[in-house]
Amino acid sequence: MKVILKKKEERLRVLQERMQLTRKKKVRLLLQIYPISAMSESLCKIVGIQLQDSTHKIRLDKKNVTRVSTALGYALLLTKLLAKIMFIPLPHKMVFKSSNSFVVDGKHDKRFAFRDQSEFPHALRILDENIMFLCRQAGVPEEQLTRYFLLPNLRNLLFKIDHPSACLPSLPEKKVFSSALDVTQFHKRPYESNLSVSMFSTVGSRKVRNAQVEDVSEEDWTLI
């Protein structure tokens, strides 16, 4: 009986290791397509589109509406794909349509778009709730999460997936770590590090580069 239990435990361990390895490969593939990098201590970019860390302070206007809504659209898409990889259902539905992406409030079944100035705060809140929920479910420490810091929170999540047994590095002044791959980079200058290092492409595909001016449907981006 003990021998059988040991064999089952060993088989379970092997399956868990394989699943973890597959998850890492998918995450690294995502980062080749949707790279996130730190521009400064308060500014990140996703697929080359800048987005300030404290998104709740963004004031949407005619000059920045396309850039902001497109960046948030890709943050939304990356969140959805990570949730699929980890088999975690999100509390709110999200639909990716590049700069026309929108979210649906799970409680009231109401749709909010990032491009609409009046709906923007609600859409931002729902996206933030989904990202915070996903990070917590994945085991990201609470002290490493900051409300409305969408891209830094996603970076913390990516680090946790890539290093499931590691502790997230801490930053005295700000709850953001520098790199999802190389923790040693963190103690130097956070804004010099980049998630897209070594095997990760910083350029992305042509579709990603064109996405700043060209809307695409969610079906075009499904990887899983």
Side-chain angles (χ1 to χ4, degrees):
M1 189 68 178
K2 289 183 179 180
V3 176
I4 295 174
L5 285 174
K6 283 185 178 180
K7 286 183 178 180
K8 286 185 177 181
E9 287 175 358
E10 179 63 22
R11 185 181 178 187
L12 180 61
R13 185 186 63 78
V14 171
L15 289 174
Q16 288 175 335
E17 287 178 355
R18 286 179 181 175
M19 184 179 293
Q20 204 172 83
L21 183 60
T22 302
R23 186 177 294 170
K24 284 183 179 182
K25 286 180 179 179
K26 288 184 177 181
V27 167
R28 293 180 179 187
L29 175 60
L30 283 180
L31 283 176
Q32 288 183 35
I33 305 173
Y34 313 111
I36 299 178
S37 58
M39 300 293 293
S40 68
E41 293 185 2
S42 62
L43 185 71
C44 288
K45 65 180 181 179
I46 182 168
V47 294
I49 309 170
Q50 294 184 5
L51 185 69
Q52 71 183 61
D53 291 349
S54 51
T55 51
H56 62 293
K57 295 182 180 179
I58 293 175
R59 295 293 176 264
L60 210 62
D61 55 42
K62 292 181 180 179
K63 294 181 180 180
N64 67 3
V65 61
T66 300
R67 174 180 58 81
V68 171
S69 58
T70 302
L72 291 173
Y74 283 107
L76 175 155
L77 179 59
L78 184 57
T79 303
K80 285 190 67 172
L81 293 175
L82 288 172
K84 285 184 178 181
I85 288 173
M86 295 186 289
F87 303 102
I88 297 175
L90 297 172
H92 305 287
K93 181 182 177 181
M94 303 190 296
V95 178
F96 173 72
K97 290 184 179 294
S98 192
S99 61
N100 294 307
S101 301
F102 62 89
V103 296
V104 180
D105 191 326
K107 294 180 180 178
H108 306 99
D109 198 28
K110 191 172 181 180
R111 166 178 162 172
F112 298 102
F114 295 114
R115 286 193 70 92
D116 191 299
Q117 195 166 5
S118 62
E119 297 178 3
F120 179 75
H122 303 287
L124 198 59
R125 174 183 58 81
I126 291 172
L127 176 57
D128 176 64
E129 286 180 4
N130 273 351
I131 291 175
M132 293 288 283
F133 177 84
L134 188 59
C135 289
R136 287 167 179 153
Q137 291 294 312
V140 178
E142 195 68 31
E143 61 270 17
Q144 293 291 338
L145 299 174
T146 305
R147 287 296 308 274
Y148 291 104
F149 277 49
L150 307 183
L151 296 185
N153 287 341
L154 283 173
R155 287 160 66 83
N156 280 336
L157 173 60
L158 292 165
F159 177 88
K160 184 66 178 178
I161 296 172
D162 203 59
H163 302 79
S165 60
C167 295
L168 292 173
S170 59
L171 183 64
E173 298 178 359
K174 193 175 180 182
K175 301 173 184 177
V176 181
F177 69 92
S178 65
S179 174
L181 297 176
D182 188 359
V183 185
T184 59
Q185 295 278 337
F186 179 79
H187 301 289
K188 298 178 182 178
R189 298 175 66 184
Y191 51 88
E192 285 185 347
S193 64
N194 192 317
L195 273 171
S196 307
V197 294
S198 62
M199 69 182 72
F200 292 164
S201 167
T202 57
V203 178
S205 66
R206 188 177 67 177
K207 261 189 179 179
V208 171
R209 297 197 296 275
N210 292 342
Q212 298 181 44
V213 293
E214 183 180 301
D215 285 346
V216 292
S217 65
E218 184 170 354
E219 287 74 16
D220 295 331
W221 297 87
T222 302
L223 299 180
I224 300 172

